[in-house]
Amino acid sequence: GGGSSSDDDDEEEEEGTLFVSEDPSSGEQLAAVPPWRGAIYPPTDAPAMDATPPPESLRLSWVYGFRGYDTRRTALWSSADDGFVVYTAAALVVRYDCDKHAQAHFKEHTDDVLGLTVHRGRGLVASAQKSFREGGRMRKPT
C-alpha cells in the first residue's frame, strides 16, 4: 500500500511540470501586429477629399452569376431559333443573347426570383418571386 502513494506523488510532480501557465502578457505575440502594416504607407500626394456625389448615376450593365443553388428550371432557352437564354440572378431576370453577347434585364421584382417559365411559341417569359413580409404579415408578390 505504501509504494502506491509515492507513485501518486511522482505522477503529480510530472503533471505539474507538464503544463506551464504563462501570463497572458508574456510569450509570443502572434498577430499582435498585422503583417501588412509594414508594407502599407499613406500616399504622399493624396487628392483632397471630395464628398460630392459623382455626376452620373449607377446603371446595371452586366450580371455575373446565376441563382441555381435552391431552384430548378431557372435557366431556359427561350426558343431553339432565337439564341436567347433566360435565367435568374437574385431579384433579376436576365435574357442573354448568345449571338451578340449582350444582356437585357427585367428589374421589376422586389425579392429573389425563384420561378421562371418560357412560352416558346409566343416568345413570352413569366417569372415569380418569393413572398415577403410587410408589416408583420406575409404578403404574396403582385
Side-chain angles (χ1 to χ4, degrees):
S4 65
S5 66
S6 67
D7 289 340
D8 288 341
D9 291 340
D10 290 340
E11 285 179 16
E12 285 180 18
E13 284 181 24
E14 287 178 19
E15 287 178 11
T17 59
L18 183 60
F19 298 104
V20 177
S21 177
E22 288 188 3
D23 183 28
S25 63
S26 68
E28 288 191 40
Q29 300 294 318
L30 292 177
V33 177
W36 51 266
R37 283 274 170 127
I40 296 180
Y41 301 97
T44 56
D45 57 347
M49 292 296 292
D50 183 9
T52 59
E56 297 179 24
S57 62
L58 295 175
R59 184 181 62 82
L60 180 62
S61 61
W62 196 265
V63 173
Y64 295 92
F66 160 71
R67 182 180 182 138
Y69 69 93
D70 64 346
T71 59
R72 290 183 179 197
R73 297 184 41 85
T74 53
L76 305 168
W77 288 101
S78 61
S79 78
D81 300 331
D82 65 9
F84 293 129
V85 176
V86 182
Y87 61 94
T88 63
L92 298 170
V93 177
V94 181
R95 185 186 77 177
Y96 174 65
D97 185 339
C98 299
D99 297 328
K100 296 179 183 175
H101 189 59
Q103 290 182 342
H105 310 107
F106 180 74
K107 302 179 270 192
E108 301 299 317
H109 286 288
T110 58
D111 211 333
D112 291 347
V113 179
L114 300 179
L116 190 66
T117 191
V118 174
H119 187 292
R120 291 188 174 99
R122 297 187 63 189
L124 296 175
V125 176
S127 57
Q129 73 181 42
K130 69 180 186 176
S131 59
F132 60 96
R133 291 190 179 273
E134 184 178 281
R137 292 185 5 207
M138 197 66 146
R139 299 243 338 188
K140 292 188 178 182
T142 55

